[in-house]
Amino acid sequence: MKLTFLGTRGEIEKRTRRHRMHTSLMVSYRSVNVMIDCGLDWLGKFERLHPSAIVLTHAHPDHAWGLKHGAPCPVYAPQKTWQELQHYPIEDRHVIDERTPTKICGITFEAFAVEHSILSPAVGYRVSVGRGRIFYAPDLIFIHDRQDALKGVQIYIGDGATVTRSFIRRRGKALIGHSPVRTQLTWCEKEGVPRAIITHCGSEIVASDERKLSAKLRAIAAERDVDVRLAYDGMKQEL
Ligand SMILES: [Zn+2]
Ligand SMILES: [Zn+2]
């Protein structure tokens, strides 16, 4: 399995050379390339990547609005995401049911509900092919079935909207927002995931001296026996 971090910018104003494009991951295996998420930055641009298929985590602008004018390939998303995108001119639509491993061009995707937004319910994906197994959740407060989601995972790819501060707000009984990287590293420790890569970078990362911040994060991760890296646009990873 080969991973390419096409974009690593969260829903923020600022953009830099390292974090120019909305968060998106290309999962490649042999000649297949499946793109996870296609935010507004990718509108009119993602076609040149020739994805075999596109899979969506949720309908927020930084994850789905690049598909406003449709897509030249099949698009997979949970039913709740399709409800929000029903007016998009996407011809080849597929529904992904939660907790149902689904083969997309030979790569297995299993959607897990994550807490993040009331209006745009989100999922994270457990992705496996060949010897590789990852969990990808760019926006989340927590994973509902965390133990199942992270079991045997080699790399957890998580939400960098905030590093140590909490971005969690209460709306009635529900919670919306993002959990800090620190908390996500604790999940990795608890579930025995050895490595984490942080994407969907918020201003705390994008506006920082990344070398210093990386060192700080590595120290937080080392206390938890986890290896951590900050993703940047174009970063590749094989497993
Ligand atoms: Zn987002
Ligand atoms: Zn979101």
Side-chain angles (χ1 to χ4, degrees):
M1 183 194 290
K2 198 177 91 190
L3 308 175
T4 308
F5 291 82
L6 302 171
T8 57
R9 189 168 79 93
E11 184 64 316
I12 53 172
E13 288 293 312
K14 196 174 167 68
R15 64 176 86 221
T16 60
R17 207 159 50 84
R18 286 171 72 84
H19 308 289
R20 183 170 302 277
M21 300 295 281
H22 278 145
T23 301
S24 178
L25 181 74
M26 190 74 96
V27 181
S28 306
Y29 188 67
R30 297 191 173 140
S31 58
V32 162
N33 297 297
V34 178
M35 183 177 181
I36 311 182
D37 285 343
C38 187
L40 197 51
D41 285 345
W42 292 101
L43 185 67
K45 297 194 177 118
F46 73 92
E47 293 88 344
R48 72 175 75 128
L49 302 169
H50 302 291
S52 319
I54 296 171
V55 181
L56 302 177
T57 59
H58 62 307
H60 274 161
D62 54 325
H63 298 267
W65 289 18
L67 297 176
K68 263 182 192 184
H69 301 154
C73 62
V75 180
Y76 292 75
Q79 187 59 44
K80 288 169 187 164
T81 297
W82 280 125
Q83 277 164 17
E84 277 181 80
L85 305 177
Q86 51 186 313
H87 303 300
Y88 280 21
I90 298 168
E91 280 163 32
D92 199 357
R93 297 169 179 240
H94 300 261
V95 173
I96 289 201
D97 292 318
E98 281 171 20
R99 298 305 317 269
T100 307
T102 306
K103 275 218 171 166
I104 301 175
C105 306
I107 302 176
T108 304
F109 285 76
E110 183 175 352
F112 284 78
V114 298
E115 200 73 12
H116 168 56
S117 160
I118 300 168
L119 295 178
S120 303
V123 298
Y125 287 105
R126 182 179 164 93
V127 183
S128 34
V129 70
R131 277 169 302 174
R133 190 174 294 141
I134 62 162
F135 188 80
Y136 184 75
D139 296 48
L140 84 171
I141 297 174
F142 62 86
I143 310 165
H144 284 273
D145 298 328
R146 189 181 75 204
Q147 210 180 344
D148 288 352
L150 299 186
K151 193 176 175 190
V153 159
Q154 293 151 309
I155 305 180
Y156 168 87
I157 301 171
D159 182 352
T162 172
V163 176
T164 53
R165 281 177 291 164
S166 171
F167 275 5
I168 302 170
R169 307 278 175 268
R170 186 172 286 283
R171 292 283 181 280
K173 275 187 188 162
L175 299 173
I176 57 168
H178 306 265
S179 265
V181 173
R182 186 205 301 262
T183 306
Q184 297 171 63
L185 293 171
T186 301
W187 305 338
C188 291
E189 177 188 25
K190 286 186 176 162
E191 308 303 344
V193 179
R195 300 182 62 189
I197 297 179
I198 302 307
T199 187
H200 195 266
C201 301
S203 20
E204 207 178 341
I205 294 175
V206 175
S208 75
D209 173 341
E210 279 196 35
R211 234 175 256 203
K212 273 190 195 157
L213 185 67
S214 274
K216 180 178 155 186
L217 265 180
R218 279 200 301 275
I220 295 173
E223 286 170 7
R224 292 160 176 75
D225 249 341
V226 178
D227 177 80
V228 71
R229 261 185 98 174
L230 290 174
Y232 54 85
D233 292 15
M235 186 174 109
K236 289 185 195 319
Q237 174 73 52
E238 283 200 42
L239 74 170

